[in-house]
């Protein structure tokens, strides 16, 4: 007999957990679609040349090969994010798409990382992006912030905070301090680590960068510790004491974006000059969302603005803005911290019990009536003692059990929550008037 | 610049197609859940030992390996169906599941076949099964037939036919003709090919089987050409002129199952003694569903009853019954035969046009009100000529365009279908009374 070895890093939910995940997915999807975003799906695999053309560490990639038989069309690998597939998709189907192209995408991605707590090798990402052709106004940035805030709210995981920054502000500030392009880039990478290595650690690393003096390092670290509401942007920028056009235009752009989002969303935003994100391709706003109650958990969604999505595939300039929800990692938190109660083991709301097998046909018809009304209904598949059937209903998470008496034709429904039982003459009336 | 090579066998839909696929998925899912089936999802990969333990041709399997870095925990492969993962899942999580375990599962599967028309290397299967512990009554077979019929109906692809047979009837008949177990198995495999090689071809191949005489081959071929409604089962079985207890009990079982399903479903059933299905593990009913209008397309869903799901993982006997919809192949037909019109390129129903950027904030608020009412709404991201914005709405498949006049506060909504334009004082009232 084959032993079953759990494959580390490949999470698998129990039915009651999967039901919760599906409900969360449905809520996010509904929000994305309410803004007119369209779903796309790409194959799990891409050509290895596609996956590696953005300078990604090859080590993370899972290669896919036919176990036997030669590979005819180049090497394939499982995608490690949904951004590379999006770039390839947009470049490939360019003429069939309407721009600005607003898409969302929920798919598994795979990374051959060494598994560790909170790190998975297979996990869902739930991405949303707007891709423009040649240009994309800042109204798109505002829309992405509005839709992601709405999506996170819809998940009902408790309060969240939207940390936001602008690559332009960072670049303008550092350049205004006297750093050149290379030193600026190095400084951004260092500042991004402030949550991990602390202010002192950042300062020490900054001092190793060419052109960074003690004074400059101090000013950068001080700025990186600021977290303030959008209304303070101008005052905070002025307090940096730097004259730089990129800094000014970055601040104006960020202000304009935050002006366009709903008041309630803006109230959840915190400008954070330490936010930089490692990925080289962000060029405008940068955003990270976390749950207020779980600061140590880190980011549940992140993203930003990029100037050019698919430069490796097309000459056309495709600027975009988008965010990604790390869904599997988030569900792992949901389950371990019990953020959403995991209760029912099935969608079943009502179980029709069966006294004797000769009643089954009629019981099936009753069940169909209830399904038609919109109530997920099971008919018990055997006809043992009623107690056992009630037990089954309870273990499935069903709220009601229905009893049908073939002799009298009487239907009774028991509410397992209130323990009350009623005689039902019209299923439709019972359904409409049942306690919820 | 990297060239994009289409990877053959890995289909990818355009947004307007994906929207249709998602709608079909939602309909099937709703039917499955209305019967209380619970969703599960398993990783894309299984241990190669798991995948190969059922004697499967290894050639079909895609192996997965980290591109760099050693593999620590044995070799992995992409699953090639959802039955092996289900068997592993049920054996592994046995104690956390409620039996009979009713699950549905929609996931991609991968097969390293040489691609050809209608064959994919990556495709969705949409499976539904009931797994019992030690035993599973025939009420489960009836339920699976009822739910799959309802699911296919929900897809709205035109009339379909449910071809049905019983492994027991075939075995009883062939054994009653004088074949032993081995010859019976060989004959079943041959008869299954009648649609491909014709009656003459089947007869020729049958004659190569040990114990098969000319008379026996003739009677088997004659039976394999029968297709009749469930009401004729007893007469047709009697006409075979064979006394065999397995044949009789198989016929009685099939009759009992067909008695339990809704009248309308039974009317779509055709008993077909040629139906055998290659897979060795079917032991009771066998079922294939096709679209009446597309006989040459073959099967859109198939399955049956099996005695033991997970014998390679557990000592516990886990009998089951289930079917699988070949979703991707079906969607390919849907698109090529235009079974469902592919129209809208987005979920957007209304586009709010923007005259000048200073109106955008108010336009966003109007859009939020409409989303709240349940109407997927986009705000045009720029403010060019209105003609361009209407064009955009049309290209996105939106039905309405909204115009907001900041000077007067007047809102007008144009119906792009009827070309009528109305002035709207209450969005709620307009939404409730709009033409559909």
């Amino acid at each position: 007999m084959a032993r079953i070895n759990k494959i580390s890093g490949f999470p698998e939910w129990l039915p009651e957990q999967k039901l919760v995940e599906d409900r969360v997915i449905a809520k996010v999807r509904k929000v994305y679609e309410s803004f007119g975003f369209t779903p796309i799906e790409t194959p799990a695999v891409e050509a290895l040349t596609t996956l590696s053309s953005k300078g990604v560490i090859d080590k993370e990639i899972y290669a896919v090969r036919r176990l036997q038989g030669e590979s005819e069309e180049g090497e394939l690998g499982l995608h490690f994010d949904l951004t590379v597939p999006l770039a390839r998709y947009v470049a490939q189907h360019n003429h069939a798409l309407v721009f600005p192209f607003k898409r969302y995408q929920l798919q598994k991605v795979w990374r051959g990382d060494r598994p560790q707590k909170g790190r998975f090798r297979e996990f869902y990402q739930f991405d949303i992006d707007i891709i423009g052709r040649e240009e994309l106004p800042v109204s798109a940035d505002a829309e992405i912030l509005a839709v992601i805030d709405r999506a996170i709210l819809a998940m009902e995981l408790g309060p969240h905070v939207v940390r936001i920054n602008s690559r332009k502000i960072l670049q303008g500030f550092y350049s205004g301090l006297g750093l050149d392009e290379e030193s600026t880039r190095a400084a951004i990478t260092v500042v991004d680590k402030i949550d991990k290595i602390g202010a002192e650690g950042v300062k020490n690393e900054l001092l190793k960068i060419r052109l960074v003096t003690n004074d400059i390092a101090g000013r950068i670290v001080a700025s990186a510790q600021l977290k303030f509401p959008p209304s303070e942007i101008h005052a905070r920028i002025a307090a940096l004491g730097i004259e730089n056009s990129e800094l000014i235009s970055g601040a104006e752009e960020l202000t304009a974006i935050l002006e366009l989002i709903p008041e309630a969303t803006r109230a959840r935003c915190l400008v954070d000059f330490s936010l930089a994100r490692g990925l080289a391709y962000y060029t405008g706003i940068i955003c990270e969302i976390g749950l207020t109650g779980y600061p140590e958990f880190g980011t549940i969604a992140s993203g930003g603005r990029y100037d050019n999505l698919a430069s490796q595939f097309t000459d056309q300039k495709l600027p975009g803005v988008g965010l990604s929800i790390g869904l599997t990692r988030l569900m792992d938190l949901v389950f371990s911290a019990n953020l959403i109660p995991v209760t029912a083991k099935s969608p079943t709301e009502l179980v029709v019990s069966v006294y004797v097998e000769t009643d089954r046909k009629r019981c099936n018809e009753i069940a169909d009536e209830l399904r038609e009304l919109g109530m997920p209904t099971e008919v018990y598949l055997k006809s043992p003692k009623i107690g056992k059937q009630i037990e089954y209903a309870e273990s499935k998470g069903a709220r009601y059990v229905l009893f049908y008496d073939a002799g009298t034709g009487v239907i009774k429904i028991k509410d397992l929550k209130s323990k009350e039982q009623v005689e039902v003459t019209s299923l439709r009336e019972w359904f409409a008037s049942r306690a919820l």
Side-chain angles (χ1 to χ4, degrees), chain A residues 83-149:
Chain A
T83 305
V84 173
L86 172 65
R88 197 263 312 142
Y89 185 96
V90 172
Q92 185 176 334
H93 303 293
N94 200 296
H95 299 292
L97 306 178
V98 180
F99 287 87
F101 180 51
K102 300 181 174 187
R103 85 85 173 82
Y104 73 87
Q105 192 168 355
L106 169 70
Q107 281 186 257
K108 296 264 184 74
V109 304
W110 293 269
R111 293 186 191 174
D113 291 334
R114 193 167 286 272
Q116 47 180 293
K117 196 179 149 42
R119 285 256 181 191
F120 297 111
R121 294 175 149 195
E122 175 183 87
F123 53 96
Y124 268 121
Q125 287 196 335
F126 209 157
D127 282 23
I128 185 160
D129 288 84
I130 306 176
I131 313 297
R133 198 141 58 178
E134 300 304 333
E135 51 154 3
L136 186 68
V138 293
S139 52
D141 302 63
E143 182 162 294
I144 283 290
L145 290 178
V147 67
I148 196 80
D149 181 60

Side-chain angles (χ1 to χ4, degrees), chain A residues 146-166:
Chain A
V147 67
I148 196 80
D149 181 60
R150 201 71 54 90
I152 305 287
L153 276 185
M155 294 189 198
E156 299 183 85
L157 306 175
H160 67 272
V161 59
V162 181
R163 293 195 302 148
I164 195 163
N165 194 11
S166 159

Side-chain angles (χ1 to χ4, degrees), chain A residues 410-427:
Chain A
V410 169
I411 290 172
K412 289 180 181 162
I413 296 178
K414 180 168 185 170
D415 183 335
L416 295 176
K417 197 172 164 195
S418 69
K419 308 291 176 202
E420 271 168 39
Q421 185 167 305
V422 291
E423 193 174 316
V424 171
T425 46
S426 155
L427 290 171

Side-chain angles (χ1 to χ4, degrees), chain A residues 42-66:
Chain A
T42 60
V45 302
E46 298 283 344
L48 283 186
T49 49
T50 300
L51 292 176
S52 55
S53 57
K54 266 199 151 175
V56 173
I57 317 115
D58 293 337
K59 208 173 170 185
E60 291 184 0
I61 297 177
Y62 276 113
V64 166
R65 289 189 193 93
R66 290 170 68 195

Side-chain angles (χ1 to χ4, degrees), chain A residues 234-253:
Chain A
H234 283 297
R236 298 288 193 167
I237 292 284
L240 294 176
I242 294 289
E243 289 282 337
N244 176 285
S245 61
E246 194 178 6
L247 175 63
I248 302 303
S249 80
E252 271 168 13
E253 187 184 275

Side-chain angles (χ1 to χ4, degrees), chain A residues 224-292:
Chain A
Q225 291 172 291
L226 296 176
K227 288 179 178 52
F228 52 87
S231 57
E232 297 177 15
I233 291 180
H234 283 297
R236 298 288 193 167
I237 292 284
L240 294 176
I242 294 289
E243 289 282 337
N244 176 285
S245 61
E246 194 178 6
L247 175 63
I248 302 303
S249 80
E252 271 168 13
E253 187 184 275
L254 185 56
T255 305
I257 291 165
L258 291 167
E259 273 298 312
L260 281 175
I261 66 177
E263 177 64 39
T265 302
R266 195 161 51 245
R268 279 184 284 275
C269 287
L270 223 42
V271 182
D272 181 340
F273 286 158
S274 77
L275 204 63
R277 296 197 62 70
L279 285 167
Y281 67 82
Y282 289 116
T283 51
I285 62 159
I286 302 158
C287 172
E288 287 190 0
I289 300 176
L291 294 177
T292 314

